[in-house]
Amino acid sequence: MKNIVILISGGGSNMRAIVETAEREGWAKQFDARIAAVVSNRPESAGLAAAREMGLHTELLDHRAFAKEPEPRVAFDAALAEVIDRHAPALVVLAGFMRILTPGFVRHYAGRMVNIHPSLLPAFTGLDTHRRAIAAGCRVAGATVHLVTEELDHGPILDQAVVPVLPGDTPEQLSARVLAQEHRMYPRAIAALLRVQR
Ligand code: GRF
């Protein structure tokens, strides 16, 4: 069985899209794959509650509990890796997981950790992508699924989705348009990876 572990921090709409697609397309039969766990670093994450309601195995690892450690990021990532590795994952899926990851953590999951970023990489790495794309006068925007490497929002591109930026768009309007495409692209990109892993 190929275990997929999904990491979230917020709303979890991409997580939900992945779980629903896995169900609908029968990833268990097709790829011998299942969503083994959903892990959040924020107790208030709406996605965590949604995952629980969908009957998934969930885990909460609050990064604030590590603030007093001499190296909080290293300590949190070590604890996170322990939680993840209990499921011996074939794939670790970052779905709105708002954490900068330590190099050791990234190396540990090299080649089996993917992220979705709400811009057409390599443009607009980092935060606030939609406001920045509008301010720059971009005519198109979108999202990118990529393998995670040590440099933030870099790494081999697996798929991209493009949407128009419409005159007068607010960041919220553009974000909603992009997110709708993320929900189609991310499950598709993951299925493509599972297919070659078979
Ligand atoms: C998405 O825009 C994703 O691209 C970015 O964070 C957002 C997560 O949204 N990395 P959700 O939690 O999946 O609803």
Side-chain angles (χ1 to χ4, degrees), residues 24 27 30 39 42 44 52 60 74 83 93 96 105 109 114 117 125 131 133 145 149 154 163 181-182 190 194 196:
R24 194 178 59 244
W27 287 5
Q30 229 192 122
V39 185
R42 290 185 180 277
E44 68 277 16
R52 272 192 210 114
L60 168 66
V74 175
V83 168
V93 173
F105 183 88
Y109 299 105
V114 292
H117 180 77
T125 60
R131 190 195 53 75
V145 177
T149 56
H154 282 67
V163 304
Q181 294 309 311
E182 292 185 31
I190 292 165
L194 293 171
V196 297

Side-chain angles (χ1 to χ4, degrees), residues 115 119 143-146 156-161 184-186 188-189:
N115 182 42
S119 80
T144 304
V145 177
H146 65 97
I157 290 173
L158 301 175
D159 206 352
Q160 288 188 310
R184 302 159 64 104
M185 170 172 60
Y186 210 2
R188 188 175 70 218

Side-chain angles (χ1 to χ4, degrees), residues 100-178:
I100 291 172
L101 303 169
T102 54
F105 183 88
V106 171
R107 273 197 299 275
H108 182 64
Y109 299 105
R112 56 182 172 132
M113 182 155 64
V114 292
N115 182 42
I116 190 159
H117 180 77
S119 80
L120 294 171
L121 290 174
F124 306 118
T125 60
L127 296 174
D128 216 8
T129 53
H130 302 305
R131 190 195 53 75
R132 288 157 63 208
I134 291 168
C138 294
R139 295 306 197 253
V140 294
T144 304
V145 177
H146 65 97
L147 281 174
V148 177
T149 56
E150 286 180 37
E151 201 180 341
L152 182 72
D153 298 329
H154 282 67
I157 290 173
L158 301 175
D159 206 352
Q160 288 188 310
V162 183
V163 304
V165 180
L166 300 179
D169 256 354
T170 63
E172 292 70 30
Q173 287 168 324
L174 180 55
S175 162
R177 195 175 306 126
V178 171

